[in-house]
């Protein structure tokens, strides 16, 4: 085993709470979208099973991203994946002619805030590609 592998494995799984406001803004944005997707999925299940499954996957995707962000597995490049994931949610809503409602605005607003905060974090992350945030 290399020294890098040993060092990474010796760190705790949970790296602690992030510092600064931007990570919390991103997490709140992700949680807003998660809330909307997971709360609407059961209602959608009655009308469109495929869309309900996609809503669950979107909500779980944000929760999984938060979990990875707070773990030793996080890498700087994941910010780009997170931004693409959030923007894909917005694009999908527009392409599918999503209905404008309070829940849609909460979700899309949360995703937009999340994407901006993640972009800020990516641009201001001074760790190298192999370091844990």
């Amino acid at each position: 085993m290399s020294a890098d592998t040993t060092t990474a494995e010796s760190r705790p799984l949970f790296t602690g709470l992030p510092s600064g406001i931007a990570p919390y803004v991103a997490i709140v944005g992700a949680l807003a979208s998660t809330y909307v997707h997971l709360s609407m999925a059961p209602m959608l299940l009655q009308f469109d099973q495929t869309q309900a499954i996609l809503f669950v996957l979107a909500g779980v995707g944000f929760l999984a991203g938060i979990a990875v962000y707070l773990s030793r597995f996080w890498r700087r490049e994941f910010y780009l994946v997170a931004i693409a994931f959030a923007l894909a949610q917005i694009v999908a809503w527009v392409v599918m002619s999503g209905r404008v409602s309070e829940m849609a605005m909460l979700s899309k607003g949360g995703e937009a805030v999340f994407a901006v905060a993640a972009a800020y974090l990516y641009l201001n992350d001074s760790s190298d590609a192999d370091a844990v945030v």
Side-chain angles (χ1 to χ4, degrees):
M1 256 196 289
S2 71
D4 290 338
T5 306
T6 305
T7 304
E9 289 176 1
S10 65
R11 290 186 208 141
L13 177 60
F14 176 69
T15 58
L17 297 175
S19 62
I21 188 123
Y24 293 101
V25 170
I27 290 170
V28 168
L31 290 175
S33 182
T34 298
Y35 166 75
V36 171
H37 283 95
L38 294 181
S39 66
M40 291 187 68
M43 180 179 32
L44 286 171
L45 192 57
Q46 301 170 8
F47 305 106
D48 186 346
Q49 187 176 12
T50 302
Q51 191 171 10
I53 291 169
L54 292 173
F55 268 54
V56 170
L57 290 174
V60 171
F62 277 114
L63 290 177
I66 292 168
V68 172
Y69 178 70
L70 297 174
S71 78
R72 69 175 179 224
F73 301 111
W74 185 258
R75 302 292 181 264
R76 183 173 182 259
E77 297 79 19
F78 292 169
Y79 288 119
L80 300 175
V81 174
I83 294 164
F85 182 74
L87 294 178
Q89 305 296 316
I90 296 169
V91 169
W93 179 75
V94 170
V95 168
M96 296 178 72
S97 301
R99 199 183 84 176
V100 177
S101 68
E102 290 176 4
M103 293 293 269
M105 292 300 98
L106 175 61
S107 177
K108 301 311 130 196
E111 291 155 7
V113 166
F114 172 81
V116 169
Y120 173 84
L121 289 166
Y122 175 76
L123 293 173
N124 291 288
D125 186 352
S126 60
S127 63
D128 64 46
D130 295 326
V132 175
V133 173

